[in-house]
């Protein structure tokens, strides 16, 4: 199967910032709706998506395990960083595996399947009103306008452990998958969503139309959608094609790939070797020397402007340069070594990449991260001590 994807996000008509994040990194797709006020929601959704993506590329655990680890990362950050205490996020994930799509879900973002014109909800809302509907206290119609419809009963980052809903779906050509936050479903009725999805527009136009319709209906929340279209396998095209739409009214956390190729009918370059006169050879030799020298100077200047936080002799340290080695030469050096044990810092999910280096723009930013690590480790020690007494 071949999947074509598009995503769009918007801040909406009321909110001051976009706390949604999305991931388009084939074959992994996700939406997340952060909560927590101030910067909390934005941090939670972004951290969940980034953790999920990192673990997926490292092939660490199955999809539900990766979602639970994302939960742990958000929870630990909310515990050690008072500025985002109490934050959380929803997370709805779809992973394409051949002719199947695996789903993992927590919260009230949703996944839908449109097949043969019929729209089917693939996920269950983890909300108070949904529980009330299940227990017969209110009807589905009452739930749509209930004043407590946004209260979640399950979200990432609220507790150290979270239950993750899982599903596995066999897809067919012409199937269309929608991942969305409740900024869409809270504003646009499912009948209208089905109508837009079934209209035959390409994924990009469909994503933009869904966002536009939600805004026209009031746009009281951030709106994020990811569209996946399933086609027959095309032997002359990649298995998956991605079209990411960053809607102009709201930034998104996303990833996309763009490949370059030769235009159809373009004449290939002439690669036949031709003899060069000796003067031209000498001229080119001089040019090569100049380029090499300029390159070395430019590289040195570039490295002097790069900073990152890493590990030196087992402790957290500030480095100048980039965290890599070329031909046996280190392109970095330690500027400041702290007394913070790196292993203690790495027990917090947010600092698991410390060995690879946390890159920043300048020394002040690096020192700010070190100070945050110092506070987080100290808070973890206090928390651990309190839990063990």
């Amino acid at each position: 199967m071949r999947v074509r994807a598009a995503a769009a996000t918007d801040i909406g008509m009321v909110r001051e910032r976009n706390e949604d994040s999305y991931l388009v990194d084939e074959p992994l797709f996700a939406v997340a709706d952060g909560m927590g006020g101030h910067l909390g929601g934005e941090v939670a959704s972004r951290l969940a998506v980034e953790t999920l993506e990192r673990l997926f590329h490292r092939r660490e655990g199955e999809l539900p395990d990766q979602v639970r680890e994302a939960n742990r990362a958000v929870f630990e950050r909310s515990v050690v960083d008072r500025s985002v205490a109490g934050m959380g996020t929803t997370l709805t994930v779809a992973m394409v595996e051949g002719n199947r799509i695996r789903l993992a879900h927590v919260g009230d973002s949703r996944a839908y399947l449109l097949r043969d014109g019929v729209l089917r909800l693939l996920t269950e809302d983890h909300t108070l009103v949904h529980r009330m509907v299940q227990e017969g206290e209110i009807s589905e119609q009452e739930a749509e306008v209930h004043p407590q419809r946004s209260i979640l009963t399950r979200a990432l980052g609220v507790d150290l452990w979270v239950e993750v809903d899982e599903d596995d779906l066999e897809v067919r050509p012409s199937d269309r998958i929608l991942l969305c936050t409740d900024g869409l479903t809270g504003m646009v009725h499912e009948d209208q969503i089905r109508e837009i999805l079934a209209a035959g527009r390409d994924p990009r136009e469909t994503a933009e139309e869904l966002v536009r319709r939600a805004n026209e209906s009031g746009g009281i929340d951030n709106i994020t959608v990811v569209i996946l279209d399933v086609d027959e396998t095309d032997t002359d095209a990649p298995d998956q094609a991605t079209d990411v739409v960053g809607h102009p009214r709201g930034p998104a956390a996303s990833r996309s790939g763009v490949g370059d190729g030769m235009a159809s009918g373009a004449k290939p370059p002439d690669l036949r070797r031709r003899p060069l006169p000796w003067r031209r050879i000498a001229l080119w030799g001089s040019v090569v020397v100049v380029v090499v020298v300029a390159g070395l100077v430019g590289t040195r200047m570039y490295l002097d402007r790069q900073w990152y936080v890493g590990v030196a002799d087992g402790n957290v340290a500030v480095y100048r340069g980039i965290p890599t080695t070329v031909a046996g030469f280190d392109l970095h050096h330690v500027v400041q070594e702290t007394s913070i044990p790196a292993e203690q810092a790495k027990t917090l999910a947010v600092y698991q990449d410390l060995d690879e280096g946390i890159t920043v723009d300048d020394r002040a930013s690096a020192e700010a991260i070190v100070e945050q690590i110092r506070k987080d480790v100290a808070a973890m020690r206090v928390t651990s001590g309190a839990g063990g007494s």
Side-chain angles (χ1 to χ4, degrees), residues 309-365:
V309 178
V311 178
D313 296 328
N315 293 325
V316 176
V318 173
Y319 281 84
R320 193 171 198 165
I322 57 177
T324 191
T325 300
V326 176
F329 293 95
D330 292 334
L331 302 184
H332 53 260
H333 64 275
V334 176
V335 173
Q336 175 187 355
E337 184 176 339
T338 74
S339 59
I340 307 170
E343 290 304 317
Q344 290 187 18
K346 288 188 292 182
T347 59
L348 298 172
V350 70
Y351 302 126
Q352 285 184 345
D353 288 337
L354 203 55
D355 286 326
E356 287 76 26
I358 302 173
T359 57
V360 292
D361 294 332
D362 49 39
R363 179 169 183 170
S365 299

Side-chain angles (χ1 to χ4, degrees), residues 1-4 26 231-242 257 259:
M1 295 294 178
R2 179 172 179 264
V3 174
R4 294 183 299 129
E26 54 189 52
D231 297 331
E232 290 280 10
T233 301
D234 184 350
T235 56
D236 296 325
D239 289 340
Q240 294 169 326
T242 302

Side-chain angles (χ1 to χ4, degrees), residues 116-260:
D116 299 328
V118 178
L119 187 65
R120 171 187 161 199
L121 179 61
L122 301 176
T123 52
E124 177 180 331
D125 289 351
H126 302 140
T127 61
L128 178 63
V129 296
H130 180 69
R131 179 184 293 174
M132 295 167 69
V133 170
Q134 288 182 314
E135 295 175 355
E137 297 181 21
I138 60 174
S139 67
E140 291 187 2
Q141 292 72 26
E142 291 173 322
E144 292 179 359
V145 295
H146 198 282
Q148 296 178 321
R149 62 185 179 276
S150 297
I151 297 179
L152 298 177
T153 57
R154 196 191 308 176
L156 265 65
V158 176
D159 294 302
L160 185 57
W161 185 89
V162 68
E163 182 180 356
V164 179
D165 288 356
E166 306 173 51
D167 201 359
D168 186 82
L169 174 71
E170 183 175 354
V171 291
R172 308 171 187 171
S174 300
D175 280 353
R176 172 166 273 187
I177 304 294
L178 166 67
L179 308 180
C180 63
T181 59
D182 69 336
L184 174 68
T185 54
M187 291 286 97
V188 184
H189 194 272
E190 282 189 355
D191 289 342
Q192 294 177 294
I193 293 175
R194 187 206 65 79
E195 178 184 337
I196 295 170
L197 291 174
R201 301 183 183 91
D202 66 27
R204 173 176 180 156
E205 292 175 338
T206 302
E208 292 183 322
E209 176 62 18
L210 288 169
V211 168
R212 186 184 68 80
R213 190 70 63 89
N215 275 327
E216 286 182 350
S217 300
I220 64 173
D221 200 353
N222 309 142
I223 312 139
T224 301
V225 300
V226 174
I227 306 286
L228 310 179
D229 277 1
V230 182
D231 297 331
E232 290 280 10
T233 301
D234 184 350
T235 56
D236 296 325
D239 289 340
Q240 294 169 326
T242 302
D243 186 10
V244 180
V245 184
H247 201 277
R249 285 174 50 81
S254 65
R255 179 184 294 262
S256 63
V258 179
D260 293 327

Side-chain angles (χ1 to χ4, degrees), residues 2-184:
R2 179 172 179 264
V3 174
R4 294 183 299 129
T9 190
D10 194 271
I11 196 172
M13 308 301 292
V14 176
R15 299 297 182 89
E16 294 182 355
R17 58 167 35 92
N18 195 342
E19 297 184 347
D20 287 356
S21 295
Y22 66 77
L23 175 65
V24 175
D25 189 5
E26 54 189 52
L28 191 66
F29 306 89
V31 295
D33 181 0
M35 61 183 188
H38 192 49
L39 294 177
E42 184 178 347
V43 171
S45 65
R46 184 179 68 248
L47 180 57
V49 164
E50 289 175 350
T51 303
L52 177 73
E53 183 181 28
R54 182 182 72 248
L55 295 174
F56 174 77
H57 284 292
R58 290 181 177 178
R59 299 183 180 179
E60 295 183 12
E62 297 296 322
L63 184 61
D65 301 322
Q66 295 164 359
V67 172
R68 280 187 282 268
E69 186 64 19
N71 170 76
R72 177 172 172 260
V74 177
F75 175 76
E76 288 182 349
R77 177 66 179 273
S78 70
V79 169
V80 301
D81 187 348
R82 292 184 180 179
S83 67
V84 292
M87 70 177 178
T89 184
T90 70
L91 185 62
T92 301
V93 189
M95 183 172 68
V96 181
E97 294 182 333
N99 66 339
R100 306 196 71 83
I101 289 182
R102 296 184 60 190
L103 297 172
H105 166 71
V106 178
D108 66 348
S109 295
R110 292 181 177 180
Y112 286 93
L113 167 67
L114 179 74
R115 175 177 291 171
D116 299 328
V118 178
L119 187 65
R120 171 187 161 199
L121 179 61
L122 301 176
T123 52
E124 177 180 331
D125 289 351
H126 302 140
T127 61
L128 178 63
V129 296
H130 180 69
R131 179 184 293 174
M132 295 167 69
V133 170
Q134 288 182 314
E135 295 175 355
E137 297 181 21
I138 60 174
S139 67
E140 291 187 2
Q141 292 72 26
E142 291 173 322
E144 292 179 359
V145 295
H146 198 282
Q148 296 178 321
R149 62 185 179 276
S150 297
I151 297 179
L152 298 177
T153 57
R154 196 191 308 176
L156 265 65
V158 176
D159 294 302
L160 185 57
W161 185 89
V162 68
E163 182 180 356
V164 179
D165 288 356
E166 306 173 51
D167 201 359
D168 186 82
L169 174 71
E170 183 175 354
V171 291
R172 308 171 187 171
S174 300
D175 280 353
R176 172 166 273 187
I177 304 294
L178 166 67
L179 308 180
C180 63
T181 59
D182 69 336
L184 174 68

